[in-house]
Amino acid sequence: MANNEHEHDGIDAGRRRFLTNTLRTAVGVGLVATTLGVYQRQARALPATAIRPPGAADEKAFQSACIRCGLCVRDCPYDTLKLAQLGDDVALGTPYFTARDVPCEMCDDIPCVKACPTGALDHALTEINDARMGLAVVVDQEACIAFLGLRCEVCFNVCPVRGDAITLDYQHNRRSGSHAYFIPVVHSDACTGCGKCEKACILEEAAIKVFPIQLAKGLLGKHYRLGWKQKEQAGGALVTPDQPHEYNLPEGMRYDYGGEGLIKEGAEPATPFSSNPLDTLNRKGGL
Amino acid sequence: MEHGGIPGRDAVQQKGWWRANRFLVLRRISQLAILALFLLGPLAAVWIVKGNLASSVVLETVPLTDPLVLLQVLVSGHLPETAAIIGALIVLGFYLLVGGRVYCSWVCPINIVTDVAEWLRCRLNIRGSANISTSTRNWLLGAILLVAGVSGSVAWELINPVSMVYRGLVFGMGLAWGIVVAVFLLDLFVSRRAWCGRLCPVGAFYGMVGQVAVVRVSAIRREQCDDCMDCFAVCPEHQVIKPALKGAEKGLGPVITSGHCTNCGRCIDVCPQDVFEFTTRFSNSRLAVSGINPKREVSS
């Protein structure tokens, strides 16, 4: 009986040990997996200065497809791309570039995309001007010398999509009263995010910078309807046109809708000032 | 003959230094030569191989892709381009033929680190060993695929020491040396063969590939075994030897059929009795069916 019990204990102890060991391994591996899961979420936080190669999808999709082989880096003729090393802020082993160091030269044949074995860089991208690596933003209007009224236009001139991605907006310089500002304006429908503007910016710290698109781009609410665009598309106003208002006006006055406003029939122009400045000066009571 | 001491010493006396170390030397040559091929491009602008072990292109034409990395990509929800799929099939086919864990012992750079740790562990007589189950790697393999599937990200490659070191050597290390040191210290102090033998999910994957590998080590002259235990001492997966070497009565062996045999050939090296030999996995059935005395193949 005693012997029997002992045997029973032995079996139980063996089973207990097996279960304990299995549980221990499972819990240990579970901890590693949980940590890894949390870490990979953090690894999706791409720093603002790290730009992905052309054809890369958003960060989540990119990190499910990139196997960190570095073939895009190898086929980049300008040594623009590099692989993130342990200790960098970018997800380990993934390709990126820093525009201020070496921007993308926008090769016509896009060798980096062709080299990608998994399609993490989308092979459907065949026209480099369609690439959207990031978006240039004039981040500092206080430092950009164009906003100081000085001539620069370097970003405008180095832009590979010159005249489309960056245009110059002429504005009156009210400080000097007689000059123009040549303000660089970036257009997201043409900017590829190559970073040549950021690289070329003459400031100590660039005033125009390329950011990943999700950082650089706002999004207008879907409920907005731009009346002037809809009018253009439809060939006429879609809302009820403004009616000429009926005002209770004094005798001899009328209101001209779409014209000069309040009009006194058969009288001189509505302005109280005569075209001859001397009349105003000589008027009784003066100014 | 007196047994014990440094494993392999008897073999050197019996067979000479070269025959007692040739597979070790050949493995180191293989590991370093493959690394050299990858480095020839960036260092000498000779582009025979481009990329790294995750994926590469040989002579601008043949794609090669790590099947485990590609599996993670598939699980995480991305359908790769054909180049990667063809590359993975080529690599998979190769390892199905020569043994999955040939990757571990003939290619992987971490193997050099863990082998040195083991060598030092033996010389310094470090005995203590944390009890980490050898099946942990299978759990880890499952876990990394699960994380890839749930998160939709090739998450394991963020921390995988194997790919990290290779990529580091070819593209720039960063702080990856720290990981190399960590693996070294783990194997030296925490547990014997802790990384390659217990934890590494890459090894677990290739172990599964190796289940049906054609090239295998066989204890073809097992009746000559004098129980010196040198093969057990050097084998990184010594659980694989026993069924083949001592399984005659149970009708097992003499071919080592476990997928976890890395085909490193170190047992062939260190055996003073020349028990082991590289054969195919079919030697087992051939011997069993024909009943030929394996002794006939004594090398001249």
Side-chain angles (χ1 to χ4, degrees):
Chain A
M1 184 71 188
N3 196 18
N4 231 352
E5 254 178 30
H6 199 75
E7 239 172 51
H8 201 73
D9 277 357
I11 294 165
D12 264 4
R15 183 181 290 171
R16 176 185 290 268
R17 199 166 48 241
F18 170 75
L19 285 175
T20 314
N21 282 343
T22 308
L23 196 65
R24 212 171 48 137
T25 308
V27 168
V29 170
L31 277 174
V32 173
T34 311
T35 314
L36 184 60
V38 172
Y39 179 54
Q40 67 78 27
R41 282 185 72 94
Q42 290 177 354
R44 281 182 192 153
L46 191 66
T49 49
I51 307 298
R52 293 290 186 203
D58 68 88
E59 203 50 20
K60 186 175 186 299
F62 183 70
Q63 290 204 23
S64 84
C66 174
I67 57 173
R68 294 113 157 118
C69 65
L71 284 170
C72 54
V73 174
R74 286 289 179 250
D75 279 7
C76 174
Y78 299 96
D79 287 340
T80 301
L81 295 173
K82 54 195 170 184
L83 290 187
Q85 300 176 3
L86 195 64
D88 292 348
D89 291 340
V90 183
L92 180 70
T94 54
Y96 73 103
F97 68 95
T98 309
R100 189 65 163 168
D101 297 340
V102 192
C104 172
E105 295 288 340
M106 290 175 57
C107 312
D108 281 335
D109 52 346
I110 331 181
C112 51
V113 170
K114 281 186 188 157
C116 179
T118 64
L121 306 180
D122 191 354
H123 287 211
L125 179 74
T126 50
E127 169 56 52
I128 190 62
N129 283 354
D130 294 339
R132 291 293 177 270
M133 297 169 262
L135 180 60
V137 183
V138 182
V139 282
D140 193 350
Q141 304 193 355
E142 293 173 335
C144 173
I145 65 166
F147 288 83
L148 301 176
L150 305 175
R151 295 290 301 268
C152 175
E153 297 117 52
V154 168
C155 55
F156 168 79
N157 282 311
V158 298
C159 179
V161 205
R162 190 173 181 275
D164 290 329
I166 301 179
T167 55
L168 292 175
D169 188 15
Y170 307 125
Q171 291 174 14
H172 176 55
N173 183 345
R174 273 181 295 181
R175 180 178 52 77
S176 74
S178 55
H179 297 89
Y181 291 118
F182 292 73
I183 302 297
V185 180
V186 182
H187 303 277
S188 64
D189 54 354
C191 174
T192 65
C194 72
K196 294 207 76 163
C197 52
E198 180 178 342
K199 170 70 179 172
C201 180
I202 60 148
L203 303 189
E204 301 277 317
E205 175 75 39
I208 187 166
K209 286 178 179 170
V210 175
F211 292 137
I213 288 185
Q214 75 274 14
L215 288 182
K217 195 98 180 76
L219 183 63
L220 188 66
K222 283 201 178 77
H223 58 284
Y224 277 85
R225 297 284 178 272
L226 304 181
W228 58 95
K229 288 208 168 155
Q230 297 209 317
K231 192 173 170 183
E232 216 174 77
Q233 276 173 10
L238 296 176
V239 289
T240 319
D242 199 4
Q243 294 294 323
H245 294 287
E246 298 296 331
Y247 293 102
N248 193 8
L249 296 171
E251 198 70 31
M253 302 281 279
R254 68 182 172 83
Y255 180 80
D256 185 24
Y257 163 69
E260 297 96 272
L262 204 57
I263 293 162
K264 194 175 178 183
E265 302 276 9
E268 66 266 28
T271 170
F273 301 106
S274 161
S275 56
N276 182 357
L278 288 177
D279 289 350
T280 311
L281 288 173
N282 294 334
R283 201 165 59 183
K284 216 171 200 173
L287 272 174
Chain B
M1 187 188 298
E2 200 179 320
H3 296 315
I6 305 292
R9 199 160 278 177
D10 293 344
V12 174
Q13 280 171 8
Q14 296 269 325
K15 312 194 289 187
W17 189 89
W18 168 244
R19 287 205 54 227
N21 286 293
R22 58 184 164 157
F23 286 113
L24 182 63
V25 173
L26 289 174
R27 280 197 307 119
R28 292 291 175 260
I29 291 174
S30 161
Q31 287 161 332
L32 296 175
I34 292 169
L35 183 59
L37 280 180
F38 278 106
L39 286 173
L40 263 181
L43 296 184
V46 180
W47 295 102
I48 297 167
V49 187
K50 216 190 266 183
N52 62 37
L53 286 184
S55 194
S56 56
V57 179
V58 182
L59 296 171
E60 299 284 343
T61 43
V62 186
L64 297 173
T65 304
D66 181 336
L68 176 57
V69 175
L70 198 73
L71 184 61
Q72 292 176 70
V73 168
L74 285 168
V75 168
S76 74
H78 174 80
L79 189 66
E81 296 283 328
T82 16
I85 297 172
I86 293 171
L89 289 177
I90 294 173
V91 172
L92 207 57
F94 174 74
Y95 286 121
L96 281 172
L97 197 66
V98 302
R101 295 204 58 196
V102 159
Y103 173 82
C104 302
S105 59
W106 293 78
V107 180
C108 182
I110 288 283
N111 172 266
I112 302 177
V113 177
T114 58
D115 272 0
V116 170
E118 172 62 16
W119 182 86
L120 205 60
R121 196 180 170 83
C122 182
R123 297 309 186 273
L124 297 178
N125 209 13
I126 299 170
R127 292 263 172 239
S129 197
N131 183 10
I132 307 170
S133 162
T134 53
S135 68
T136 310
R137 51 187 164 191
N138 296 331
W139 288 79
L140 266 176
L141 177 61
I144 65 166
L145 291 175
L146 188 72
V147 171
V150 171
S151 70
S153 159
V154 187
W156 169 242
E157 297 307 316
L158 291 169
I159 56 169
N160 180 2
V162 177
S163 55
M164 190 190 303
V165 168
Y166 219 88
R167 193 171 49 239
L169 290 168
V170 182
F171 286 90
M173 272 305 232
L175 303 178
W177 288 117
I179 300 294
V180 177
V181 172
V183 169
F184 178 77
L185 294 178
L186 179 77
D187 267 33
L188 185 58
F189 293 117
V190 179
S191 189
R192 179 177 185 267
R193 295 281 181 191
W195 180 255
C196 303
R198 299 165 201 273
L199 297 175
C200 181
V202 181
F205 173 79
Y206 280 114
M208 286 173 186
V209 173
Q211 300 276 348
V212 290
V214 177
V215 178
R216 297 279 63 175
V217 173
S218 173
I220 201 153
R221 288 173 287 276
R222 56 184 169 185
E223 69 288 346
Q224 292 178 10
C225 173
D226 65 351
D227 298 326
C228 75
M229 300 291 281
D230 275 6
C231 55
F232 280 89
V234 295
C235 182
E237 301 278 347
H238 50 64
Q239 75 278 9
V240 307
I241 293 182
K242 198 179 170 191
L245 187 61
K246 298 294 168 191
E249 280 147 37
K250 292 179 193 159
L252 295 171
V255 175
I256 297 175
T257 48
S258 166
H260 276 298
C261 169
T262 69
N263 275 0
C264 72
R266 192 68 184 133
C267 54
I268 306 177
D269 278 350
V270 300
C271 180
Q273 307 302 322
D274 255 342
V275 167
F276 299 96
E277 196 172 281
F278 272 120
T279 62
T280 69
R281 73 179 301 107
F282 310 115
S283 320
N284 246 1
S285 45
R286 183 165 54 84
L287 291 169
V289 169
S290 60
I292 300 168
N293 184 352
K295 235 179 175 175
R296 95 217 177 287
E297 284 183 24
V298 170
S299 56
S300 46

